[in-house]
Amino acid sequence: MKKRILMLSLLILPAFAQAQSNSRWRITKPSWTTVDEQRFGEFVSRLGAAVERRECDKVDTCLRSPANPYAGTDPASLRLFADCADLPYYLRSYFAWKNGLPMSVVSSIASRPGNTNKDVRYSTMGNYVTGRYDVIPSRNSAPNAVALLNSTLIDMTYSATFRMIGLEDTGRFTDFYPVKLSRETIRPGTVIYDPNGHVAIIYKVTDDGRIFYIDSHPDNTLTSGMYTPKFSRSHPQHGAGFKNFRPLALQGASRNSAGEYYGGKIVGARNDQLAGFSTEQFYGNSPDPEGVWNKGKFLYRGVAFPYYDYLRIMMASGELRIDPIKDMQQVLADICVNLKDRVVAVEQARKAGVDMKPHPERLPTNIYGTTGEWEDYASPSRDARLKVSFMDLLTSSRLAPIGARSAT
């Protein structure tokens, strides 16, 4: 494993040195390859490790730090700002720009039929794509990457964009596809969507099957955490759980004398072309015969396990042996980090003078998803995840009877 990581690092360093340092988004590679996906994961891993070590704690400070191999190549006008739903898109777009890759994002969505909630961030039947925005240079000019990253791309994406299962893979395709529960598909760069309105991106998976992520907040802070039941499951159409960016390709483009591509159209890889595509996390690897999603079973060696336990088994490298003491320490450490981050969030609100303002006449219709200062400083979703973490602590020893998982 260490040898593979070293080889990957040696592979990506030359590309880092060639990062685009001007504001124009030039496409020099017409499609995302497996190597590009690996390099994107390495990029996220470096940033996540810096957040974990408390070397930086905001999107801008992290991207200006040595953790970012492209640091020092950005125009001064680049804002370097992203909240939770923006972060995966921001990092993906930033990486694509620096490496001359195509980018396309969902620009508009609508609720699926049968929805009973007017807020598409919490649609009861999920959403579907109604429009896309492609980053494609023309013959005479390339798009302004600073303008795209400062506002255009980020303004289009929000948590409702993630509320899709990911089955649509042609025409107005989804940006993400659901993945199989395995170490090969859940990796640095994989996105986690919490149906309660939060988004995170994975930066590390440990040998004992623990998944670690970074997430951002409305004040541009970056925090890290460990995947636990605080990220809940829900109806498959909500798309909750793990998803990877759909690889993109620029087709029908022309190439100029400088080796840059222009024109053409961007298409996403079809699900049948993606080895990691799977709806297993929604329906189980032994689906309910009548199609009831939460009655599907997760079987390992013929034995049914709860979802989170099965995930841990599948994410382990080689044999999984549970040390209850170490496990408890990991859960406690994660809660401790979350509590410290909660203190930072409260302090940000205090500095903004929120506590000195008159009490609002009434609460928002939905305190978990709103606008203005409620969106920027209130933290009911974060508090709900903390509560679930404490509940999980009480049952964290439930994996102990699993024993061991063989390397096969």
Side-chain angles (χ1 to χ4, degrees), residues 184-247:
E184 289 70 34
T185 52
I186 298 177
R187 57 184 188 254
T190 296
V191 173
I192 311 171
Y193 171 59
D194 181 350
N196 292 318
H198 192 60
V199 183
I201 187 166
I202 296 171
Y203 73 92
K204 179 175 69 174
V205 178
T206 60
D207 288 344
D208 64 350
R210 291 294 194 185
I211 299 168
F212 291 85
Y213 63 85
I214 52 174
D215 54 352
S216 58
H217 307 279
D219 58 4
N220 210 33
T221 56
L222 276 175
T223 54
S224 63
M226 184 173 69
Y227 181 85
T228 68
K230 63 189 175 188
F231 285 87
S232 61
R233 299 181 68 211
S234 65
H235 192 284
Q237 290 295 347
H238 295 168
F242 302 98
K243 52 186 70 186
N244 284 337
F245 276 98
R246 192 178 296 280

Side-chain angles (χ1 to χ4, degrees), residues 258-367:
E260 300 168 1
Y261 293 86
Y262 63 90
K265 68 175 183 178
I266 294 179
V267 299
R270 299 193 314 272
N271 291 335
D272 61 8
Q273 298 173 320
L274 300 166
F277 171 83
S278 174
T279 58
E280 171 192 18
Q281 61 184 307
F282 307 124
Y283 299 101
N285 58 5
S286 178
D288 175 62
E290 297 183 2
V292 181
W293 72 272
N294 54 5
K295 289 187 177 181
K297 297 179 180 179
F298 293 91
L299 301 179
Y300 177 69
R301 292 181 175 175
V303 178
F305 288 93
Y307 168 76
Y308 296 96
D309 297 353
Y310 175 82
L311 174 65
R312 179 83 182 276
I313 295 171
M314 301 312 295
M315 294 306 296
S317 177
E319 294 186 353
L320 172 62
R321 296 186 180 277
I322 300 298
D323 180 340
I325 301 299
K326 180 181 178 182
D327 236 40
M328 181 69 75
Q329 291 173 337
Q330 288 179 321
V331 174
L332 284 171
D334 182 59
I335 291 176
C336 184
V337 169
N338 293 162
L339 286 172
K340 290 179 179 178
D341 293 335
R342 180 71 176 82
V343 171
V344 173
V346 172
E347 182 63 15
Q348 291 289 340
R350 192 192 66 78
K351 287 182 178 179
V354 174
D355 59 319
M356 303 300 293
K357 296 186 177 183
H359 194 283
E361 295 182 1
R362 61 185 179 86
L363 293 174
T365 303
N366 181 354
I367 62 173

